[in-house]
Structures are given as C-alpha cells and as structure tokens.
C-alpha cells in the first residue's frame, strides 16, 4: 500500500478523516439541540483559569525581556560615557589610576546585573511558560475525545432503540463506547489533577521572580551608589588640584611683578612712580592723573556720570575728588583724545575697570 506521508498510510488517513467527519456531525447535532453534550462546569472554569494564567505569564515574560533590553541599553550608554571620561582624563590629573579602575568596576557591575536578571528572573519565567503548550495541547485533545465519547454514546443508544436490533453492531458499538469513554476519562482525570496545581503555582512563580529582581536591583543600586560616591570624590580632588595650581600660578605672577616693580623703583628713584597722582603741572596730563588704560570691550553708558567706551579708546585715569565715592571695580577718567583736543577735565566720568587694561 502506497504511503501518503511519512508514517501515515492510506488506511490511517481514512480513519482520521472519518473521525473528523464524525466529530463535525456530532457538534452540529449538539448545536441544533438534537444531541446532548457532556458538560463539566468545574473543568470549564479550570480551562478559563488556565487561559488567563497563560496570557498573564506570556505578558510578564514579554515585559521582562523588554526590561532586560532596557538594562542592556543603559549598560551600553553607561559604558560609552565612562569610556569617554577615561579617554579625556589626562595622566597628570588626580586619581588617574582610580578613574580607570572605577570605569572597569562600573562595567563589571552592569554585566553582573544583566546576567543575574537573565539567569534568574527571565530564565525561570521561560521554564515556567514552557509547560503551557503541552497542557494546552492535552486540553484540546480532551475536547476531541469528549466529542468522540458523546458520538459513541449516541450511536450506541440509537442502535439499542432501533426496531431491528443487530446484536453484532450493538456489541461493537458498546465496545467502541467503552474505549472512547476510557480515553476521555483518563485525560479528564489527569487534567483535573494538573490544572488546579498549575493554577496555584503561579503565585510562587511571581514571588520568586519579583523577589529575585528586587534583590538584584537592591544590590546593583547599592554598589552603583558606592562607585558614584567614588567618582564624586575624584572629581572633588581634581577641582582642588586645579585650584592649587591656579593659586600657585597667580603667586608666581605676583612675585615676578613685585620684582619688576622693585627694579623700576631703584632705576627711577628720583622720579615719582607711574601710579602716583600728579599735580597737573605737566600740561599734557589732566590734574590728578594716575595712569592710562585702553578699552578692550565696548561699554554703553547707562547713566550720565558714566563714560562711553569703544574698543581701543585710551582713557586717562584720574583720582576721585572724594575717594569715598569710588565703588569697587570702577575708575574715574577722561578720554585721552578729548583731553588732548579740549583740555577739559569736566568731561571725566566713571567706567568699569574690567572693560579695560593698563597701557
């Protein structure tokens, strides 16, 4: 006999086709109300719970994997940021070795966190859901065998009620009924024991999953907090190092300026220093002249007693008539061009010192 498919003969195929036809006919009769249907309300509730449990578990598995993907994304972003910092961190800066070690420790912590979530939470959920396809298939098989049982039961009953009783057919129908009933009841008993246990197991699975996640999260954030504090300490020390260098440079500059001033003073002891106020006996300088400055930024006057400045303007700084009126960071002066042209000291006004530099 020719084979229809691997392991399936024409005879088996015919039997399967006949079973499907018989089941279809039985369901039509049941829907039309012409044949009674075996019902088990308790079992139907178990199946509803099973479907609900499988749907919730599948959603939880999907969300766990999305969370794991987000952790992986955060790890990648953290690693790029830490690598960037490590690459920029110059060898002579404070804590270069500590910084490199911190970058490695941070990456390791992320790896451990991701791996723990994968091994404990996601893997356990995968194992939990792996049992559902088999149970679902057996529930579907029970449904088919129940239809077969109903069909065999109705066929046997119809033969018994017939006017012409064929004992051979009745015996065969009774045998088929017994076989269909046995197969159905075996499956039914198995599932009635298994489904409630599976339904109750969901609580333990959820507890283990979220307790494990909470433990991993707590450990991760605790260790990450320590690393973050270490990073903050390194940055604080680096800023202190910068301030010390800045102070040392300023002190060196002040020392050089003092030496230069001493040299100039010794060379011109017979003449007053540039910073001294003149009495205006020099006709080219205004009374009270101190020194010259040049504007390095434009300044727009906001009051009538302020001096308008343009970059490059030279200003002759003079003393305040009343020193108590001088505010910190402000000077009194008259533009050199105006003085040379008009010799008018009344044009003097105040201006911000940090907009100028000494000439």
């Amino acid at each position: 006999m020719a084979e229809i498919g691997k392991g399936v003969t024409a005879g088996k195929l015919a039997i399967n086709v006949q079973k499907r036809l018989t089941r279809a006919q039985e369901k039509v009769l049941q829907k039309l109300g012409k044949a009674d249907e075996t019902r088990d309300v308790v079992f139907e509730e178990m199946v509803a719970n099973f479907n609900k449990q499988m749907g919730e578990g599948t959603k939880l598995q999907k969300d766990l994997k999305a969370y794991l993907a987000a952790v992986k994304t955060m790890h990648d972003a953290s690693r790029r940021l830490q690598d960037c910092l490590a690459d920029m961190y110059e060898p002579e800066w404070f804590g270069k070795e500590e910084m490199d070690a911190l970058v490695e420790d941070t990456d390791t912590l992320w790896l451990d966190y991701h791996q723990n979530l994968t091994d404990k939470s996601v893997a356990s959920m995968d194992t939990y859901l792996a049992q559902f396809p088999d149970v679902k298939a057996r529930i579907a098989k029970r449904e088919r065998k129940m239809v077969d049982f109903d069909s065999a039961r109705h066929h046997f009953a119809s033969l018994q009620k017939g006017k012409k009783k064929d004992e051979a057919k009745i015996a065969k129908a009774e045998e088929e009924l017994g076989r269909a009933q046995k197969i159905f009841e075996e499956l039914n008993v198995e599932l009635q024991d298994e489904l409630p246990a599976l339904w109750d197991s969901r609580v333990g699975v959820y507890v283990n999953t979220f307790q494990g996640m909470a433990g991993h999260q707590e450990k991760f954030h605790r260790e990450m907090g320590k690393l973050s504090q270490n990073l903050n300490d390194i940055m604080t020390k680096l800023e202190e190092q910068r301030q010390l260098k800045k102070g040392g440079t300023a002190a060196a500059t002040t020392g050089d300026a003092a030496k230069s001033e001493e040299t100039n003073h010794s060379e011109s002891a017979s003449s007053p220093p540039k910073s001294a106020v003149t009495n205006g006996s020099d006709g080219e300088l205004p009374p009270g002249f101190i020194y010259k400055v040049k504007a390095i930024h434009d300044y727009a006057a906001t009051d009538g007693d302020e001096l308008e400045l343009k970059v490059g303007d030279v200003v002759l700084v003079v003393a305040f008539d009343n020193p108590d009126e001088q505010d910190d960071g402000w000077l009194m002066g008259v533009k050199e061009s105006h003085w040379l042209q008009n010799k008018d000291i009344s044009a003097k006004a105040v201006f911000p010192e940090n907009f100028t530099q000494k000439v």
Side-chain angles (χ1 to χ4, degrees):
M1 185 177 291
E3 288 190 347
I4 304 301
K6 186 175 180 180
V8 180
T9 63
K12 289 182 179 179
L13 181 62
I15 292 173
N16 290 335
V17 171
Q18 183 59 46
K19 283 184 177 180
R20 291 192 183 96
L21 288 174
T22 302
R23 289 167 185 161
Q25 290 173 355
E26 182 66 22
K27 288 182 177 180
V28 170
L29 291 173
Q30 290 174 351
K31 288 182 178 180
L32 294 175
K34 295 182 178 181
D36 63 315
E37 179 183 359
T38 301
R39 297 292 302 272
D40 188 338
V41 177
V42 175
F43 187 84
E44 290 173 0
E45 184 179 348
M46 292 179 188
V47 173
N49 288 339
F50 170 82
N51 291 329
K52 178 175 183 291
Q53 182 180 4
M54 183 171 61
E56 290 175 347
T58 302
K59 183 178 185 303
L60 177 57
Q61 181 191 46
K62 179 181 177 182
D63 291 341
L64 274 175
K65 290 183 176 180
Y67 179 82
L68 192 66
V71 170
K72 180 66 167 59
T73 300
M74 278 297 298
H75 176 202
D76 293 340
S78 172
R79 180 166 49 199
R80 288 193 297 270
L81 183 62
Q82 295 285 338
D83 288 345
C84 179
L85 177 59
D87 292 341
M88 294 188 303
Y89 213 86
E90 298 181 8
E92 66 274 12
W93 289 358
F94 174 86
K96 172 60 176 174
E97 293 182 0
E98 289 85 346
M99 176 60 68
D100 292 340
L102 187 144
V103 170
E104 292 182 6
D105 291 344
T106 301
D107 187 57
T108 301
L109 186 59
W110 275 107
L111 283 172
D112 290 345
Y113 181 48
H114 185 274
Q115 194 61 46
N116 284 332
L117 289 176
T118 302
D119 294 342
K120 306 293 173 61
S121 298
V122 178
S124 65
M125 184 56 61
D126 290 345
T127 302
Y128 167 67
L129 286 177
Q131 59 190 323
F132 282 82
D134 174 67
V135 177
K136 183 179 180 181
R138 286 190 287 129
I139 290 173
K141 184 177 180 180
R142 175 195 175 277
E143 180 72 19
R144 295 193 301 271
K145 296 305 178 183
M146 185 176 68
V147 175
D148 291 343
F149 169 60
D150 285 342
S151 178
R153 181 165 53 84
H154 296 146
H155 179 60
F156 176 69
S158 66
L159 288 177
Q160 283 187 320
K161 293 177 181 178
K163 294 181 179 180
K164 294 182 179 180
K165 294 185 179 181
D166 188 332
E167 296 299 331
K169 287 185 177 181
I170 292 175
K172 184 179 179 182
E174 186 176 9
E175 181 182 349
E176 291 176 351
L177 173 59
R179 185 165 51 250
Q181 183 177 4
K182 180 182 178 182
I183 294 173
F184 166 70
E185 288 182 348
E186 286 177 351
L187 269 173
N188 192 51
V189 169
E190 286 179 5
L191 289 170
Q192 283 185 341
D193 291 339
E194 189 172 346
L195 287 176
L198 181 60
W199 173 249
D200 291 339
S201 71
R202 75 194 192 285
V203 177
V205 171
Y206 299 158
V207 169
N208 292 334
T209 298
F210 285 98
Q211 271 189 343
M213 281 190 64
H216 298 319
Q217 287 175 339
E218 190 276 333
K219 179 182 178 182
F220 171 77
H221 291 299
R222 183 178 67 250
E223 297 299 323
M224 185 59 75
K226 294 178 182 178
L227 293 175
S228 298
Q229 183 59 53
N230 292 342
L231 177 60
N232 183 63
D233 292 343
I234 292 174
M235 293 296 101
T236 299
K237 294 292 185 182
L238 179 60
E239 174 61 17
E240 291 176 357
Q241 182 187 53
R242 186 182 74 88
Q243 293 294 343
L244 286 173
K245 287 185 176 180
K246 183 178 179 182
T249 302
T253 303
T254 303
D256 292 343
K259 290 180 181 179
S260 175
E261 186 176 349
E262 289 177 3
T263 302
N264 292 336
H265 179 73
S266 62
E267 290 178 353
S268 56
S270 59
S271 61
K274 290 185 178 180
S275 60
V277 177
T278 68
N279 59 9
S281 58
D282 186 345
E284 295 300 320
L285 296 174
F289 168 76
I290 304 175
Y291 53 81
K292 292 182 182 181
V293 295
K294 179 184 288 187
I296 56 175
H297 301 289
D298 290 346
Y299 177 72
T302 58
D303 265 324
D305 64 341
E306 293 182 3
L307 196 63
E308 188 91 13
L309 296 178
K310 296 292 183 182
V311 174
D313 285 348
V314 176
V315 181
L316 306 177
V317 180
V318 298
F320 278 78
D321 295 334
N322 183 359
D324 293 335
E325 295 178 356
Q326 184 174 4
D327 294 325
D328 290 341
W330 289 81
L331 300 174
M332 176 76 74
V334 60
K335 290 185 180 179
E336 185 180 49
S337 59
H338 179 83
W339 172 255
L340 293 176
Q341 183 176 357
N342 301 307
K343 296 293 190 294
D344 180 14
I345 192 61
S346 64
K348 66 182 180 179
V350 296
F351 61 91
E353 183 178 8
N354 59 354
F355 277 63
T356 63
Q357 66 179 11
K358 285 186 179 181
V359 178

